[in-house]
Amino acid sequence: YMKYGSFIPLSETDVVEHLKKHGNSDHSKWGLNIKAEVSRYRSGLASAPIAGFKVMHNKHNLSLEDLSTLEEQNWLNDQIINMYGELIMEATGHKVHFFNSFFHKQLVAKGYDGCERWTKKVDLFSKWLLLIPIHLEIHWSLVTVTMATKTISYYDSQGIVFRHTTDNIMKYLQSEAKEKEQTESLGYYVSLSLCLSVCLSVCQYCRRLSVKQPLLFSQEDMPRIRKRIYKELCDCRFDA
């Protein structure tokens, strides 16, 4: 509770593992109903969060309010998504570039000139994958760019392709290629949209795609995934 600021990411299994690791005796002999104890503490402490709890990593700063968006079916906020993107880049040795969730809004509002500084010190064309989260007011989508094949892919839980979104990304990359004198990188094409049968978790898809893992998870896995993401953010690193 002290480590994570709340009981949101903790399960009965976590408590049992902690008791096994730190307990001085066999907890099974205590006659404790672990599930009931967890529920009792969770209820009692829900109204008493740890004051001033913060997670700070590089330029990111997460409050307990930010982390609480990972609870149950809440929508993840920008702070959560952006720090998780930072962890993805670090875990891949910066071979993957994650764009801040505000990037696309800026691109739509001000065009390439308004976003040029975002990659002033970044060589996008040396990356193998670009990850661009898109906030569509009512849900999140994801655009990826596989640089080797120059493929722009659109991932959306509702199976909708907003062609103007992929066009914006294509034009941005063409402008970036001209600016960085990467003329061989001017041509891109858009792949078919992947229609997902589950509610899209941008963080989970970004992580899986960044390490070339199959997208094998379902809606039933999301409570466990949310808890794992919460812990990873607090630990400032991915679980093995």
Side-chain angles (χ1 to χ4, degrees):
Y1 173 72
M2 295 297 295
K3 182 177 181 179
Y4 298 115
S6 76
F7 263 98
I8 293 173
L10 300 177
S11 65
E12 179 181 346
T13 301
D14 293 315
V15 175
V16 171
E17 289 301 315
H18 183 80
L19 290 173
K20 286 181 179 179
K21 185 176 181 179
H22 300 284
N24 295 322
S25 61
D26 184 357
H27 74 276
S28 62
K29 298 178 180 179
W30 302 346
L32 285 176
N33 182 331
I34 300 296
K35 186 174 183 179
E37 287 295 308
V38 169
S39 297
R40 184 169 70 86
Y41 273 86
R42 190 189 302 273
S43 298
L45 293 168
S47 59
I50 295 178
F53 184 86
K54 294 282 185 182
V55 175
M56 292 177 285
H57 183 66
N58 294 341
K59 297 180 180 179
H60 301 279
N61 193 328
L62 299 182
S63 67
L64 199 53
E65 184 178 359
D66 296 322
L67 290 164
S68 69
T69 64
L70 284 158
E71 187 173 17
E72 298 179 350
Q73 299 299 316
N74 292 335
W75 293 107
L76 305 188
N77 70 10
D78 294 278
Q79 286 75 16
I80 292 292
I81 289 173
N82 290 331
M83 180 168 161
Y84 204 73
E86 181 84 14
L87 297 183
I88 287 172
M89 290 193 290
E90 292 173 359
T92 61
H94 291 273
K95 295 178 181 178
V96 171
H97 185 74
F98 181 93
F99 281 84
N100 186 286
S101 63
F102 300 106
F103 167 77
H104 185 255
K105 295 177 183 177
Q106 182 81 350
L107 180 62
V108 171
K110 298 187 177 181
Y112 178 76
D113 290 342
C115 298
E116 183 180 357
R117 64 179 179 82
W118 291 51
T119 54
K120 185 176 181 180
K121 298 181 180 180
V122 178
D123 179 8
L124 294 181
F125 306 100
S126 68
K127 313 297 181 182
W128 84 266
L129 182 68
L130 309 183
L131 300 169
I132 309 165
I134 309 292
H135 191 204
L136 298 172
E137 295 184 2
I138 57 173
H139 73 292
W140 289 94
S141 291
L142 177 67
V143 172
T144 68
V145 185
T146 305
M147 300 303 283
T149 59
K150 300 180 182 179
T151 306
I152 301 174
S153 301
Y154 196 102
Y155 295 83
D156 186 270
S157 60
Q158 299 180 7
I160 301 171
V161 181
F162 290 89
R163 188 55 191 251
H164 64 276
T165 300
T166 53
D167 285 347
N168 287 338
I169 300 303
M170 185 184 299
K171 291 175 183 177
Y172 167 80
L173 289 170
Q174 290 170 342
S175 297
E176 182 78 353
K178 291 178 182 178
E179 179 66 24
K180 299 288 179 66
E181 297 182 349
Q182 297 277 350
T183 54
E184 72 278 6
S185 300
L186 290 175
Y188 291 86
Y189 71 92
V190 179
S191 72
L192 295 176
S193 167
L194 176 62
C195 181
L196 307 175
S197 60
V198 298
C199 178
L200 176 65
S201 167
V202 172
C203 292
Q204 178 70 354
Y205 273 85
C206 285
R207 178 178 178 175
R208 290 252 172 187
L209 291 168
S210 70
V211 293
K212 301 180 182 180
Q213 290 181 342
L215 304 176
L216 299 177
F217 60 95
S218 68
Q219 188 64 39
E220 287 70 32
D221 297 316
M222 294 314 295
R224 174 183 56 80
I225 290 171
R226 283 173 174 263
K227 289 178 182 295
R228 191 203 71 218
I229 291 173
Y230 189 118
K231 292 177 181 177
E232 290 174 333
L233 287 167
C234 288
D235 294 337
C236 299
R237 60 178 175 79
F238 285 158
D239 287 343

